[in-house]
Every structure is written in C-alpha cells, then in structure tokens.
Amino acid sequence: QVQLVESGGGLVQPGGSLRLSCAASGNIFSINAMGWYRQAPGKQRELVAQISSGGSTNYADSVKGRFTISRDNAKNTVYLEMNSLKPEDTAVYYCNADIRTYWALRASAYWGQGTQVTISS
C-alpha cells in the first residue's frame, strides 16, 4: 500500500549537479527518518545521507559539503541535492523511509525502486 517513487536520476558531467526526489504515498500515518543510499557495482550499499523527522541530518564523509538532504513533510517527500559530482558518485540511488501505516503498531522500512545516477563526460 505504501510506495516510494523516485525521480531525478540521469547522466551528468563531472562537476555538475542533480536533484533527486522521492515521494511517499499510501496509508501513511507518520514518517520517521528518511534517507538516501547508493550502490555501485561490486560495492556494498552505503548510506549517503539521512534526515530525521525533526530535520537533523547525517552525511557520508564522501559527500559532505557537496550533497544536501532535505524533506517536505507536507508532501511526504525527501530530496537529495547533489553538487560537484564526481565519477565515483556513479551508482544506483535508493531512497528509504521509516513509515508507520494507520493499522501498524510500529514503523517499517520502505524502499524506492532505485534510480541510476551516472557521472561521465
């Protein structure tokens, strides 16, 4: 019933920027933390950035100063602004949200479908 739909991925040159969006929909009672993960071929999935319901953020060291995570609670949407992109940022990016539905006693993790981000000249 709950879905996370991502958008904004694509091909960009080194040094360029992309903005990823992820909108949650369904029988949502509340959303706790939201975040972005990425996975490159041959590598483990890693946390890129996360944001709490109150707006507290954490970033991977590799993206600090370049990426910004934000959320719009009224739209149930999380964003990832990516600047000064590098080839090593190339990966499939997945959004994640800890969501409680109306009938559930506790929140569960939901994932977006993944969106490809490729940094190449």
Side-chain angles (χ1 to χ4, degrees), residues 10-51:
L11 176 66
V12 67
Q13 298 180 76
S17 299
L18 279 176
R19 178 181 169 91
L20 305 183
S21 300
C22 177
S25 62
N27 295 318
I28 298 171
F29 178 77
S30 63
I31 302 178
N32 300 320
M34 305 182 82
W36 291 92
Y37 291 72
R38 68 186 182 187
Q39 187 167 27
K43 298 183 65 177
Q44 291 186 317
R45 184 173 299 186
E46 64 175 349
L47 176 68
V48 177
Q50 62 184 164
I51 184 168

Short mmCIF file of all heavy atoms in Angstrom, two decimals, residues 10-51:
data_model
loop_
_atom_site.label_atom_id
_atom_site.label_comp_id
_atom_site.label_asym_id
_atom_site.label_seq_id
_atom_site.Cartn_x
_atom_site.Cartn_y
_atom_site.Cartn_z
N GLY A 10 19.91 10.38 -13.69
CA GLY A 10 20.30 10.55 -15.07
C GLY A 10 21.79 10.65 -15.25
O GLY A 10 22.57 10.28 -14.37
N LEU A 11 22.18 11.15 -16.40
CA LEU A 11 23.58 11.30 -16.77
C LEU A 11 23.99 12.76 -16.63
O LEU A 11 23.30 13.66 -17.13
CB LEU A 11 23.80 10.83 -18.20
CG LEU A 11 25.19 11.01 -18.81
CD1 LEU A 11 26.20 10.14 -18.07
CD2 LEU A 11 25.15 10.68 -20.29
N VAL A 12 25.11 12.98 -15.97
CA VAL A 12 25.60 14.34 -15.79
C VAL A 12 27.12 14.34 -15.87
O VAL A 12 27.77 13.34 -15.54
CB VAL A 12 25.11 14.93 -14.46
CG1 VAL A 12 25.74 14.20 -13.28
CG2 VAL A 12 25.38 16.42 -14.39
N GLN A 13 27.68 15.44 -16.31
CA GLN A 13 29.13 15.56 -16.41
C GLN A 13 29.77 15.79 -15.04
O GLN A 13 29.12 16.29 -14.13
CB GLN A 13 29.50 16.73 -17.33
CG GLN A 13 29.04 16.59 -18.76
CD GLN A 13 29.44 17.77 -19.60
OE1 GLN A 13 30.61 17.89 -19.99
NE2 GLN A 13 28.50 18.65 -19.89
N PRO A 14 31.03 15.41 -14.90
CA PRO A 14 31.73 15.71 -13.65
C PRO A 14 31.65 17.20 -13.33
O PRO A 14 31.80 18.05 -14.21
CB PRO A 14 33.16 15.27 -13.93
CG PRO A 14 33.02 14.20 -14.96
CD PRO A 14 31.88 14.64 -15.83
N GLY A 15 31.41 17.49 -12.07
CA GLY A 15 31.25 18.87 -11.64
C GLY A 15 29.83 19.38 -11.73
O GLY A 15 29.54 20.48 -11.23
N GLY A 16 28.96 18.61 -12.34
CA GLY A 16 27.58 19.01 -12.49
C GLY A 16 26.74 18.72 -11.27
O GLY A 16 27.25 18.29 -10.23
N SER A 17 25.45 18.94 -11.42
CA SER A 17 24.52 18.78 -10.31
C SER A 17 23.29 17.99 -10.72
O SER A 17 22.89 18.00 -11.89
CB SER A 17 24.07 20.15 -9.79
OG SER A 17 25.16 20.91 -9.31
N LEU A 18 22.70 17.33 -9.76
CA LEU A 18 21.44 16.63 -9.93
C LEU A 18 20.63 16.78 -8.65
O LEU A 18 21.20 16.89 -7.56
CB LEU A 18 21.63 15.15 -10.22
CG LEU A 18 21.96 14.71 -11.64
CD1 LEU A 18 22.21 13.20 -11.66
CD2 LEU A 18 20.85 15.07 -12.60
N ARG A 19 19.33 16.75 -8.81
CA ARG A 19 18.43 16.79 -7.67
C ARG A 19 17.51 15.57 -7.74
O ARG A 19 16.74 15.42 -8.68
CB ARG A 19 17.60 18.07 -7.69
CG ARG A 19 16.58 18.19 -6.55
CD ARG A 19 15.81 19.50 -6.68
NE ARG A 19 14.66 19.61 -5.81
CZ ARG A 19 14.68 20.12 -4.58
NH1 ARG A 19 15.82 20.57 -4.07
NH2 ARG A 19 13.57 20.19 -3.86
N LEU A 20 17.62 14.72 -6.74
CA LEU A 20 16.77 13.54 -6.65
C LEU A 20 15.59 13.83 -5.74
O LEU A 20 15.72 14.53 -4.73
CB LEU A 20 17.55 12.35 -6.10
CG LEU A 20 18.83 11.94 -6.83
CD1 LEU A 20 19.42 10.70 -6.17
CD2 LEU A 20 18.56 11.71 -8.31
N SER A 21 14.45 13.27 -6.10
CA SER A 21 13.25 13.40 -5.29
C SER A 21 12.68 12.02 -5.02
O SER A 21 12.79 11.12 -5.85
CB SER A 21 12.20 14.26 -5.99
OG SER A 21 12.67 15.56 -6.25
N CYS A 22 12.04 11.88 -3.89
CA CYS A 22 11.38 10.63 -3.54
C CYS A 22 10.12 10.95 -2.77
O CYS A 22 10.19 11.50 -1.66
CB CYS A 22 12.31 9.74 -2.72
SG CYS A 22 11.56 8.20 -2.15
N ALA A 23 8.98 10.61 -3.34
CA ALA A 23 7.69 10.90 -2.73
C ALA A 23 7.04 9.63 -2.22
O ALA A 23 6.93 8.64 -2.95
CB ALA A 23 6.78 11.59 -3.74
N ALA A 24 6.62 9.66 -0.98
CA ALA A 24 5.92 8.53 -0.38
C ALA A 24 4.41 8.75 -0.46
O ALA A 24 3.92 9.86 -0.30
CB ALA A 24 6.33 8.36 1.08
N SER A 25 3.69 7.67 -0.72
CA SER A 25 2.24 7.75 -0.79
C SER A 25 1.64 6.47 -0.24
O SER A 25 2.30 5.44 -0.15
CB SER A 25 1.77 8.00 -2.22
OG SER A 25 2.14 6.93 -3.08
N GLY A 26 0.37 6.53 0.11
CA GLY A 26 -0.33 5.39 0.65
C GLY A 26 -0.97 5.70 1.98
O GLY A 26 -1.20 6.86 2.32
N ASN A 27 -1.25 4.66 2.73
CA ASN A 27 -1.91 4.82 4.03
C ASN A 27 -0.89 5.15 5.11
O ASN A 27 -0.61 4.36 6.00
CB ASN A 27 -2.68 3.56 4.38
CG ASN A 27 -3.83 3.28 3.44
OD1 ASN A 27 -4.55 4.20 3.06
ND2 ASN A 27 -4.00 2.03 3.05
N ILE A 28 -0.35 6.33 5.01
CA ILE A 28 0.74 6.76 5.87
C ILE A 28 0.21 7.48 7.10
O ILE A 28 -0.50 8.48 6.98
CB ILE A 28 1.71 7.67 5.11
CG1 ILE A 28 2.33 6.91 3.94
CG2 ILE A 28 2.79 8.20 6.06
CD1 ILE A 28 3.14 7.79 3.02
N PHE A 29 0.56 6.95 8.25
CA PHE A 29 0.23 7.62 9.50
C PHE A 29 1.33 8.62 9.88
O PHE A 29 1.04 9.75 10.27
CB PHE A 29 0.02 6.60 10.62
CG PHE A 29 -0.27 7.23 11.95
CD1 PHE A 29 -1.53 7.73 12.23
CD2 PHE A 29 0.70 7.31 12.93
CE1 PHE A 29 -1.82 8.31 13.45
CE2 PHE A 29 0.43 7.89 14.16
CZ PHE A 29 -0.84 8.39 14.42
N SER A 30 2.56 8.18 9.76
CA SER A 30 3.67 9.06 10.07
C SER A 30 4.93 8.53 9.40
O SER A 30 5.04 7.35 9.10
CB SER A 30 3.90 9.19 11.58
OG SER A 30 4.24 7.94 12.15
N ILE A 31 5.87 9.43 9.19
CA ILE A 31 7.17 9.07 8.64
C ILE A 31 8.25 9.54 9.60
O ILE A 31 8.28 10.71 9.98
CB ILE A 31 7.41 9.71 7.25
CG1 ILE A 31 6.31 9.28 6.28
CG2 ILE A 31 8.78 9.34 6.72
CD1 ILE A 31 6.44 9.91 4.90
N ASN A 32 9.10 8.63 9.97
CA ASN A 32 10.21 8.97 10.85
C ASN A 32 11.40 9.41 9.99
O ASN A 32 11.29 10.36 9.23
CB ASN A 32 10.54 7.80 11.76
CG ASN A 32 9.36 7.41 12.65
OD1 ASN A 32 8.64 8.28 13.15
ND2 ASN A 32 9.16 6.12 12.85
N ALA A 33 12.51 8.72 10.11
CA ALA A 33 13.68 9.10 9.33
C ALA A 33 13.49 8.78 7.85
O ALA A 33 12.80 7.83 7.48
CB ALA A 33 14.92 8.40 9.86
N MET A 34 14.13 9.57 7.01
CA MET A 34 14.18 9.32 5.58
C MET A 34 15.65 9.43 5.17
O MET A 34 16.43 10.13 5.81
CB MET A 34 13.34 10.32 4.79
CG MET A 34 11.89 10.39 5.24
SD MET A 34 10.88 11.53 4.25
CE MET A 34 10.51 10.48 2.83
N GLY A 35 16.00 8.74 4.10
CA GLY A 35 17.39 8.78 3.70
C GLY A 35 17.62 8.34 2.28
O GLY A 35 16.70 7.91 1.57
N TRP A 36 18.87 8.46 1.87
CA TRP A 36 19.31 8.02 0.56
C TRP A 36 20.50 7.09 0.72
O TRP A 36 21.42 7.37 1.49
CB TRP A 36 19.72 9.21 -0.31
CG TRP A 36 18.57 10.07 -0.72
CD1 TRP A 36 18.09 11.18 -0.08
CD2 TRP A 36 17.75 9.88 -1.88
NE1 TRP A 36 17.02 11.70 -0.77
CE2 TRP A 36 16.79 10.92 -1.87
CE3 TRP A 36 17.73 8.95 -2.91
CZ2 TRP A 36 15.82 11.05 -2.88
CZ3 TRP A 36 16.77 9.07 -3.90
CH2 TRP A 36 15.83 10.10 -3.88
N TYR A 37 20.45 6.00 -0.01
CA TYR A 37 21.53 5.04 -0.08
C TYR A 37 21.97 4.91 -1.53
O TYR A 37 21.23 5.26 -2.44
CB TYR A 37 21.10 3.67 0.44
CG TYR A 37 20.83 3.60 1.93
CD1 TYR A 37 19.70 4.20 2.48
CD2 TYR A 37 21.70 2.93 2.78
CE1 TYR A 37 19.44 4.14 3.84
CE2 TYR A 37 21.45 2.85 4.14
CZ TYR A 37 20.32 3.46 4.66
OH TYR A 37 20.08 3.39 6.01
N ARG A 38 23.16 4.39 -1.73
CA ARG A 38 23.61 4.13 -3.09
C ARG A 38 24.42 2.85 -3.13
O ARG A 38 25.02 2.44 -2.14
CB ARG A 38 24.42 5.30 -3.65
CG ARG A 38 25.77 5.52 -2.99
CD ARG A 38 26.43 6.78 -3.53
NE ARG A 38 27.74 7.01 -2.95
CZ ARG A 38 28.46 8.10 -3.14
NH1 ARG A 38 27.99 9.08 -3.90
NH2 ARG A 38 29.66 8.23 -2.57
N GLN A 39 24.43 2.24 -4.30
CA GLN A 39 25.19 1.02 -4.50
C GLN A 39 25.81 1.04 -5.89
O GLN A 39 25.12 1.13 -6.89
CB GLN A 39 24.31 -0.21 -4.34
CG GLN A 39 25.08 -1.52 -4.38
CD GLN A 39 24.26 -2.69 -3.90
OE1 GLN A 39 23.02 -2.67 -3.99
NE2 GLN A 39 24.92 -3.70 -3.37
N ALA A 40 27.12 0.97 -5.91
CA ALA A 40 27.87 0.87 -7.15
C ALA A 40 28.22 -0.59 -7.42
O ALA A 40 28.28 -1.39 -6.48
CB ALA A 40 29.14 1.71 -7.07
N PRO A 41 28.45 -0.96 -8.68
CA PRO A 41 28.80 -2.34 -8.98
C PRO A 41 30.01 -2.81 -8.19
O PRO A 41 31.02 -2.12 -8.12
CB PRO A 41 29.11 -2.30 -10.48
CG PRO A 41 28.30 -1.15 -10.99
CD PRO A 41 28.34 -0.13 -9.89
N GLY A 42 29.89 -3.98 -7.57
CA GLY A 42 30.98 -4.55 -6.81
C GLY A 42 31.18 -3.96 -5.44
O GLY A 42 32.14 -4.33 -4.75
N LYS A 43 30.31 -3.07 -5.03
CA LYS A 43 30.43 -2.44 -3.73
C LYS A 43 29.17 -2.66 -2.90
O LYS A 43 28.10 -2.93 -3.43
CB LYS A 43 30.69 -0.94 -3.86
CG LYS A 43 31.97 -0.57 -4.58
CD LYS A 43 32.19 0.92 -4.62
CE LYS A 43 32.39 1.50 -3.24
NZ LYS A 43 32.67 2.96 -3.27
N GLN A 44 29.33 -2.55 -1.60
CA GLN A 44 28.19 -2.67 -0.71
C GLN A 44 27.33 -1.41 -0.78
O GLN A 44 27.81 -0.32 -1.09
CB GLN A 44 28.65 -2.88 0.74
CG GLN A 44 29.30 -4.22 1.01
CD GLN A 44 29.60 -4.42 2.48
OE1 GLN A 44 30.09 -3.50 3.14
NE2 GLN A 44 29.30 -5.60 2.99
N ARG A 45 26.05 -1.59 -0.50
CA ARG A 45 25.18 -0.44 -0.41
C ARG A 45 25.60 0.41 0.79
O ARG A 45 25.85 -0.11 1.88
CB ARG A 45 23.72 -0.88 -0.27
CG ARG A 45 22.74 0.27 -0.27
CD ARG A 45 21.30 -0.22 -0.31
NE ARG A 45 21.01 -1.00 -1.51
CZ ARG A 45 19.81 -1.43 -1.84
NH1 ARG A 45 18.76 -1.17 -1.07
NH2 ARG A 45 19.65 -2.14 -2.95
N GLU A 46 25.67 1.70 0.58
CA GLU A 46 26.12 2.59 1.63
C GLU A 46 25.13 3.72 1.84
O GLU A 46 24.45 4.16 0.92
CB GLU A 46 27.50 3.18 1.29
CG GLU A 46 27.52 4.07 0.06
CD GLU A 46 28.86 4.73 -0.18
OE1 GLU A 46 29.73 4.67 0.70
OE2 GLU A 46 29.04 5.30 -1.28
N LEU A 47 25.10 4.18 3.07
CA LEU A 47 24.28 5.33 3.40
C LEU A 47 24.93 6.59 2.86
O LEU A 47 26.11 6.85 3.09
CB LEU A 47 24.10 5.44 4.91
CG LEU A 47 23.33 6.67 5.41
CD1 LEU A 47 21.87 6.59 5.00
CD2 LEU A 47 23.46 6.80 6.93
N VAL A 48 24.16 7.37 2.13
CA VAL A 48 24.63 8.64 1.60
C VAL A 48 24.26 9.78 2.54
O VAL A 48 25.10 10.60 2.91
CB VAL A 48 24.06 8.91 0.20
CG1 VAL A 48 24.51 10.28 -0.31
CG2 VAL A 48 24.50 7.81 -0.76
N ALA A 49 23.00 9.85 2.90
CA ALA A 49 22.51 10.90 3.78
C ALA A 49 21.21 10.46 4.41
O ALA A 49 20.46 9.67 3.84
CB ALA A 49 22.31 12.21 3.00
N GLN A 50 20.94 10.97 5.58
CA GLN A 50 19.68 10.70 6.25
C GLN A 50 19.21 11.95 6.96
O GLN A 50 20.00 12.82 7.33
CB GLN A 50 19.83 9.53 7.24
CG GLN A 50 20.81 9.79 8.36
CD GLN A 50 21.02 8.59 9.26
OE1 GLN A 50 21.97 8.53 10.02
NE2 GLN A 50 20.13 7.60 9.19
N ILE A 51 17.91 12.02 7.16
CA ILE A 51 17.31 13.17 7.82
C ILE A 51 16.19 12.68 8.72
O ILE A 51 15.35 11.87 8.32
CB ILE A 51 16.82 14.22 6.79
CG1 ILE A 51 16.28 15.46 7.50
CG2 ILE A 51 15.80 13.62 5.84
CD1 ILE A 51 16.05 16.63 6.55
#
